[in-house]
């Protein structure tokens, strides 16, 4: 059997890490190797690796604290660290279902692609219990099948695009660079730019084979829709800057792909019954060549004033990054 390499970024969450590593050990595809990237200077994760006591797991502490987003980004090197054929990332608060590796390898080979995006089951973490919610991370925006890069970019009008925990790739066949680098520090925008880095067709598997964890104190907050950032982080001083960054990305998409991406986004809005979100996002990107039917005239004026004010008050944090991307495109 081909080797699958699992990268596990972690920081001071020992019980969750134990659950994550245990889920790897329980995989039906037994030919795997895992590397734990411990970002804690105290190196507490070493005790969990020793407790699991599986020689397929390598413990690799960071020499200096990288921070959450950089430690995760390190785990997304498209090439193998351990001479493996397949690779994926498992953040310490999430875990695999037993057939995760086997089913993803099967999908990659059957569909002849370099990347599979696997749907994730959302479970609520409460008092040490992982409670089924009946929701998934990508089922609202994707259907089973093959997706071209432009079709994936169009999902950015509704969500952060691809999900860290659902990505699974062939280390020799992959054409996209999944690493973002130090230019993007925010974890949400890392996913957005990782989505924009997709340069090949990927296959979406709708059946969840892995679990994404929501924590109890966040259970009533909205996930996935870019326009809901203020609801989730309304008390944070960084929210306006974040929204300005998202606005710049949407503006880049409509300028670069124009009617092509708008048509793709319109199809998604219809399938997901979320036309209002699309119309708000188009206004945020100042795209007015669209038949707005869901928003009233007064709502359109209100949103344009809001988004215009944000545009002039805050500088885009991704101006140079998007300019360089324009040159490459």
């Amino acid at each position: 059997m081909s080797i699958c390499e699992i990268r596990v970024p972690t920081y001071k969450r020992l019980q969750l890490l134990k659950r994550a590593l245990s889920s790897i050990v329980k995989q039906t595809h037994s030919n795997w190797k895992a590397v734990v990237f411990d970002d804690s200077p105290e190196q507490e994760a070493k005790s969990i690796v020793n407790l699991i006591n599986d020689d397929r797991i390598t413990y690799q502490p960071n020499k200096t604290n990288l921070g959450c987003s950089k430690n995760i980004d390190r785990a997304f090197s498209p090439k193998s660290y351990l001479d493996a054929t397949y690779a994926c990332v498992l953040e310490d608060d999430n875990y695999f279902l037993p057939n995760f590796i086997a089913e993803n390898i099967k999908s990659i080979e059957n569909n002849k692609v370099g990347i599979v995006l696997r749907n994730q089951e959302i479970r609520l973490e409460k008092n040490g219990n992982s409670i089924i919610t009946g929701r998934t991370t990508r089922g609202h925006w994707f259907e089973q099948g093959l997706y071209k890069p432009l079709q994936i970019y169009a999902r950015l009008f509704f969500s952060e695009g691809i999900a860290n925990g659902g990505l699974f790739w062939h280390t020799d066949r992959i054409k996209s660079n999944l690493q973002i680098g130090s230019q993007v520090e925010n974890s949400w925008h890392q996913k957005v730019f990782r989505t924009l880095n997709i340069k090949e067709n990927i296959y979406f598997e709708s059946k969840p084979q892995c679990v994404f964890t929501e924590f109890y104190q966040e259970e009533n907050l909205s996930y996935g829709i870019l326009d809901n950032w203020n609801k989730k982080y309304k008390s944070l001083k960084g929210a306006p800057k974040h929204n300005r960054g998202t606005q710049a990305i949407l503006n880049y998409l409509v300028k670069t792909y124009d009617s092509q991406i708008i048509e793709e986004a319109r199809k998604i809005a219809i399938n997901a019954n979320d036309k209002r979100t699309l119309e708000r996002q188009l206004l945020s990107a100042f795209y007015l060549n669209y038949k707005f039917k869901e928003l009233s005239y007064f709502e359109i004026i209100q949103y344009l004033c809001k988004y215009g004010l944000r545009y002039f008050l805050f500088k885009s944090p991704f101006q140079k990054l998007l300019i360089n991307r324009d040159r490459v495109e």
Side-chain angles (χ1 to χ4, degrees):
M1 292 187 293
S2 298
I3 299 174
C4 177
E5 178 180 308
I6 305 118
R7 293 87 177 263
V8 187
T10 188
Y11 180 78
K12 294 182 180 294
R13 297 197 284 197
L14 301 187
Q15 290 305 310
L16 293 174
L17 175 63
K18 180 182 177 183
R19 180 179 68 184
L21 294 181
S22 296
S23 76
I24 299 174
V25 173
K26 295 175 183 176
Q27 289 297 295
T28 56
H29 181 97
S30 60
N31 199 15
W32 53 262
K33 296 179 181 179
V35 54
V36 176
F37 295 138
D38 188 3
D39 202 37
S40 172
E42 287 74 33
Q43 300 184 11
E44 300 96 333
K46 186 175 183 180
S47 65
I48 300 300
V49 174
N50 290 338
L51 179 65
I52 298 293
N53 192 27
D54 192 309
D55 59 10
R56 293 171 293 180
I57 302 175
T58 300
Y59 176 70
Q60 189 171 326
N62 296 333
K63 294 180 180 179
T64 59
N65 177 260
L66 299 178
C68 178
S69 58
K70 290 182 181 179
N71 196 33
I72 292 173
D73 194 51
R74 178 191 180 194
F76 272 102
S77 169
K79 299 303 180 182
S80 175
Y81 287 106
L82 304 173
D83 194 26
T85 305
Y86 305 98
C88 59
V89 175
L90 177 61
E91 295 174 60
D92 59 5
D93 55 338
N94 301 329
Y95 57 97
F96 292 156
L97 300 178
N99 289 322
F100 177 82
I101 296 176
E103 288 298 317
N104 283 331
I105 290 176
K106 180 180 177 181
S107 180
I108 276 189
E109 299 307 330
N110 286 350
N111 295 296
K112 296 179 174 57
V113 293
I115 307 175
V116 161
L117 176 62
R118 171 70 60 174
N119 204 6
Q120 295 172 284
E121 180 182 328
I122 298 175
R123 295 190 183 182
L124 181 66
E125 187 71 17
K126 183 178 180 181
N127 299 326
N129 297 314
S130 188
I131 303 170
I132 295 174
T133 66
R135 295 180 289 122
T136 65
T137 58
R138 290 297 172 269
H140 195 57
W141 310 115
F142 288 85
E143 296 177 347
Q144 180 98 7
L146 191 68
Y147 286 81
K148 297 178 181 179
L150 183 67
Q151 293 175 305
I152 301 167
Y153 304 159
R155 266 73 189 167
L156 292 175
F157 285 95
F158 308 93
S159 73
E160 69 270 49
I162 58 181
N164 288 346
L167 285 174
F168 191 95
W169 63 95
H170 192 295
T171 57
D172 292 328
R173 200 179 297 167
I174 187 172
K175 300 175 183 177
S176 306
N177 182 9
L178 299 176
Q179 287 184 302
I180 307 304
S182 59
Q183 296 172 303
V184 183
E185 295 184 357
N186 178 273
S187 59
W188 172 282
H189 281 138
Q190 271 197 339
K191 295 176 187 176
V192 172
F193 277 96
R194 191 164 290 121
T195 298
L196 290 174
N197 276 3
I198 297 296
K199 302 301 180 185
E200 62 200 279
N201 294 345
I202 69 173
Y203 195 88
F204 176 72
E205 289 285 357
S206 60
K207 182 179 179 180
Q209 293 288 355
C210 48
V211 172
F212 173 82
T213 299
E214 277 186 5
F215 291 93
Y216 179 66
Q217 62 267 28
E218 298 176 335
E219 65 176 322
N220 294 320
L221 300 176
S222 296
Y223 286 82
I225 299 176
L226 298 175
D227 207 47
N228 280 341
W229 180 264
N230 275 330
K231 294 180 181 179
K232 185 178 178 184
Y233 292 108
K234 60 183 177 181
S235 63
L236 296 185
K237 294 181 180 179
K241 183 179 179 180
H242 179 281
N243 281 328
R244 179 65 184 91
T246 297
Q247 184 180 42
I249 293 166
L250 295 178
N251 187 256
Y252 160 79
L253 288 174
V254 298
K255 285 199 309 181
T256 305
Y257 303 105
D258 196 37
S259 59
Q260 286 182 291
I261 200 165
I262 301 302
E263 178 58 23
E264 288 296 335
R266 188 186 68 83
K267 294 176 184 177
I268 300 167
I270 292 173
N271 290 338
N273 193 26
D274 203 357
K275 300 176 185 177
R276 285 182 63 86
T277 292
L278 175 59
E279 292 189 4
R280 290 198 303 270
Q281 301 292 53
L282 291 176
L283 291 174
S284 179
F286 304 124
Y287 186 89
L288 302 179
N289 189 24
Y290 188 82
K291 294 181 180 180
F292 293 88
K293 297 180 180 180
E294 301 299 317
L295 299 177
S296 69
Y297 174 79
F298 293 103
E299 285 178 310
I300 291 173
I301 298 300
Q302 181 183 19
Y303 279 119
L304 282 175
C305 290
K306 173 184 175 182
Y307 298 143
L309 190 64
R310 178 190 298 159
Y311 181 87
F312 288 108
L313 287 180
F314 301 98
K315 183 179 179 180
S316 167
F318 307 126
Q319 185 172 355
K320 291 183 179 179
L321 189 59
L322 291 172
I323 288 174
N324 290 336
R325 184 176 290 272
D326 269 333
R327 291 170 180 166
V328 174
E329 293 283 353

